Amino acid sequence: MAPSTSSTSQTSVVAVLLLLFPIALADSPLHQLILGSCKTVGGGSTYVGIEFCEDALNSVAVGSGVDLDYQLLGGIAVGLLADNATSTKTKIDSLLKAEDKAAVSRCLLSCQSLYGGILDGGPACTAAVKAKKFGDATAILEKAAAAAKECEDGFGKSNVTSPLTAEDGNTFELAKLGVGLLRFA
């Protein structure tokens, strides 16, 4: 049975809209601001890839009436870091319950403590960003980046495969993204 003309027309319209939506998003002022910010932050020694930056900042819905600036974008990065650290700590807790290898358990316990420190610093970092105390916020973010690196390095020193490589990488990049954005706030 051949599809009806109405059905074919609707499918065509939907297909065209789906193809055009990414182009419209790419041309939006919000996307251009994020892209420009990511290109600025992606340079230098922040260790943040432009694509990672765009994906992270575009993952947060921002109202159209909001004036975005580096302070607000830095605050978004801090929030994403807190979310990532929370989910990573939950994963560590789950892995600890299932792990039976002593070396991996030692590393996970160390990481659990490190991520606890990241989470403990989150409220102070958020408050520092809101109060425009960017030096204080940057110090907390640098500490978070170092903690993620230390977590990952612990597995390497113990000659065991890290089950947290992706999470540690994301934590590191989100912390460095916050540092980079706040540098321009």
Side-chain angles (χ1 to χ4, degrees), residues 39-48 183:
K39 284 181 178 179
T40 300
V41 172
S45 62
T46 61
Y47 307 104
V48 178
R183 183 181 311 135

Side-chain angles (χ1 to χ4, degrees), residues 52-99:
F52 179 89
C53 176
E54 282 186 280
D55 289 346
L57 296 178
N58 282 322
S59 72
V60 179
V62 179
S64 60
V66 175
D67 277 340
L68 286 181
D69 58 15
Y70 283 102
Q71 178 182 358
L72 184 58
L73 291 173
I76 289 170
V78 169
L80 290 170
L81 174 63
D83 291 346
N84 185 70
T86 300
S87 66
T88 301
K89 183 137 180 352
T90 300
K91 180 177 179 176
I92 293 168
D93 294 342
S94 174
L95 288 169
L96 278 168
K97 291 176 186 172
E99 189 54 56

Side-chain angles (χ1 to χ4, degrees), residues 85 89 110-123 140 143-144 147:
K89 183 137 180 352
S110 175
C111 290
Q112 185 180 46
S113 175
L114 291 165
Y115 273 89
I118 293 170
L119 290 171
D120 289 346
I140 295 167
K143 190 174 178 181

Side-chain angles (χ1 to χ4, degrees), residues 157-178:
K157 290 176 185 173
S158 296
N159 294 318
V160 294
T161 302
S162 171
L164 302 173
T165 300
E167 291 83 358
D168 289 338
N170 287 340
T171 299
F172 181 85
E173 279 199 273
L174 286 168
K176 290 296 189 174
L177 174 60

